[in-house]
Amino acid sequence: MHISLAGAIAALVPAAALAASYDLTSATDLRVLHGLGPTDPVTVATANDASDDDATVITDAMDAASWGDVLTLPAGTFHLNTTAYLESGIELRGAGATSTSVAANFGGSSRLLEIRDESGVTVSNMRLKSHNTTTGLDHIVYVRDSTNIDIEDCIIQRFRRAGVYFNEVTNGRVFDTWFKDAVCYDYDDNAINCAAYGGLGYGITYTNGCDTGRVDGCEFTGPEIRHGVVIQGSKEEYPAGSGQYIYPNPSHGIIVKYNYFEDNQQDSIDLHGYGEYDNRIECNEIYGPSDPNRDVEGRGIGLGEYAHGSAGTGNRIQFNKIVNCRYGIHVLNDTGDVTIKYNLIIGSKRYGVYIQEGSNVEMRDNEIYDSRKWGVLVEDCPGFHMDNASLSGNLIVNNGLKSASAFGGVRIESIAANNGAIIRDNSICSNQGTDLDTGTVTGTFTNNANCSPIPSPYPDPPANCTP
């Protein structure tokens, strides 16, 4: 049997090394991709022409492409009348987020791009949106039951439920992407309001047992966006008809890092209360409304929800900068085993850190300045621990600005559940009311007035947040 040299080389080279790039607007490229002759008819994508459906070109090219291939769209706007379906091992790449747009001519309960039961898909360098400014699309990129999915260097806008939706996805990642212009249209009430209607206006959602993933270098611009990033699980009534719920598939191992959030209506980053665990929220910048009198329901980072349940254990909130939110960090519904360290929280409309209901929460080396009420308020938290890790403890300075007599630095409510709290080796200084109010709580409360001089602010940004 004779084997050609070319065939022998092809047999030795991995399939990815033989990958090719195909321009979806080029008839020549698409004939090669589809195995057609040089004069066979072929349908190409057409920039700036809304009369045809470019989704069929994308979907058909995905079917014909091989693992590692790149399907490209040049500058211009490409119009979709139906959902485009993406397949394993293929990248859909534009000429840049401000040059190439993929836009739906339709709106409502649908999605622009869908990835289902696939692996190794990348979408990059394009704007993804709906032309419908009233209802938008439920999802711009919808991903389910898939692995190793990357969204990179995109602009995503006019989504109703989520810009990117990961459902039971392993290693779903979004890099350097700008989310804006959520629509939040409610069909029942014929109204647009992200804050009033559940499940609307999320930039990125991880749900139903997502395992690992990353949100890195993204921007979430309000005020239309309700939550920038949501991490949650599934919810089931058990036993049936009981009104009681379990959360069998919590998402976990998600890293949310190096992102920028501005004027989101509610939690910029929300661990939604379905048992989500072992997630890391770090090195993000979060800004609420700059108007000190505009007290929207904005939490920088929230863990748990009374409407849902508690977040799981092992979540770490660290190295974040949070400015002008209602609460910088909010822990509720018996969420436990939370580490809050090295965060800088400035100008909270109410509380810098609000532990409404938690357990075994550790606060180490945070800086909290200029909260209008309390720098830290602990209502109910067995096992609360607040001291130093590697720096000089927590710096709680110049809080209680709303009323010099009613608020101040740190308050722990006088309930038995808070007995045994540890608050030590911190600098709780120059607050406008009480520096440290422990009421009747018993515990370890020592060396918290390291205030002469007040320690210098910690490095901003911290060394751990250098990309």
Side-chain angles (χ1 to χ4, degrees), residues 55-171:
T56 59
V57 178
I58 295 171
T59 298
D60 290 348
M62 286 280 167
D63 287 339
S66 301
W67 189 281
D69 285 348
V70 178
L71 306 180
T72 67
L73 291 168
T77 298
F78 297 87
H79 299 85
L80 276 59
N81 295 330
T82 55
T83 300
Y85 296 89
L86 311 189
E87 298 193 13
S88 293
I90 315 301
E91 178 177 355
L92 180 64
R93 181 190 299 167
T98 59
S99 298
T100 301
S101 291
V102 176
N105 286 331
F106 56 99
S109 183
S110 188
R111 61 284 308 246
L112 184 73
L113 306 178
E114 181 167 325
I115 304 167
R116 188 185 289 261
D117 296 309
E118 306 291 351
S119 178
V121 181
T122 299
V123 179
S124 67
N125 296 287
M126 60 183 63
R127 183 190 300 266
L128 302 167
K129 66 178 183 178
S130 171
H131 281 312
N132 191 313
T133 59
T134 303
T135 64
L137 285 172
D138 266 11
H139 306 96
I140 300 297
V141 182
Y142 179 93
V143 188
R144 186 166 189 140
D145 301 322
S146 298
T147 60
N148 298 327
I149 307 301
D150 288 352
I151 313 298
E152 303 177 359
D153 297 295
C154 292
I155 298 173
I156 294 179
Q157 61 188 121
R158 297 186 191 139
F159 47 91
R160 177 176 178 261
R161 292 195 174 276
V164 175
Y165 182 82
F166 293 119
N167 186 322
E168 203 168 358
V169 172
T170 297
N171 204 25

Side-chain angles (χ1 to χ4, degrees), residues 155-305:
I155 298 173
I156 294 179
Q157 61 188 121
R158 297 186 191 139
F159 47 91
R160 177 176 178 261
R161 292 195 174 276
V164 175
Y165 182 82
F166 293 119
N167 186 322
E168 203 168 358
V169 172
T170 297
N171 204 25
R173 300 176 296 192
V174 185
F175 300 102
D176 301 315
T177 291
W178 183 14
F179 294 81
K180 62 177 183 173
D181 301 335
V183 176
C184 302
Y185 182 83
D186 185 80
Y187 300 117
D188 294 330
D189 292 343
N190 192 31
I192 297 174
N193 189 333
C194 291
Y197 304 104
L200 306 183
Y202 301 171
I204 302 172
T205 297
Y206 290 91
T207 192
N208 193 25
C210 287
D211 181 355
T212 68
R214 179 111 180 196
V215 181
D216 190 323
C218 296
E219 183 172 343
F220 303 83
T221 305
E224 294 86 1
I225 289 177
R226 180 179 182 180
H227 298 305
V229 178
V230 172
I231 303 174
Q232 61 180 27
S234 59
K235 176 180 178 181
E236 294 180 10
E237 188 177 25
Y238 183 83
S242 68
Q244 303 296 314
Y245 293 91
I246 60 173
Y247 310 106
N249 295 306
S251 295
H252 56 280
I254 314 299
I255 299 173
V256 181
K257 190 170 185 175
Y258 302 135
N259 303 287
Y260 179 89
F261 302 79
E262 182 179 303
D263 200 9
N264 294 177
Q265 288 191 10
Q266 294 187 345
D267 311 22
S268 290
I269 304 172
D270 185 14
L271 279 67
H272 213 49
Y274 293 94
E276 51 282 345
Y277 66 93
D278 287 349
N279 302 291
R280 284 169 41 200
I281 313 300
E282 58 189 36
C283 300
N284 302 286
E285 291 191 35
I286 302 172
Y287 293 86
S290 57
D291 180 354
N293 297 311
R294 186 172 165 229
D295 185 17
V296 299
E297 193 181 344
R299 308 185 295 176
I301 301 169
L303 298 99
E305 294 275 2

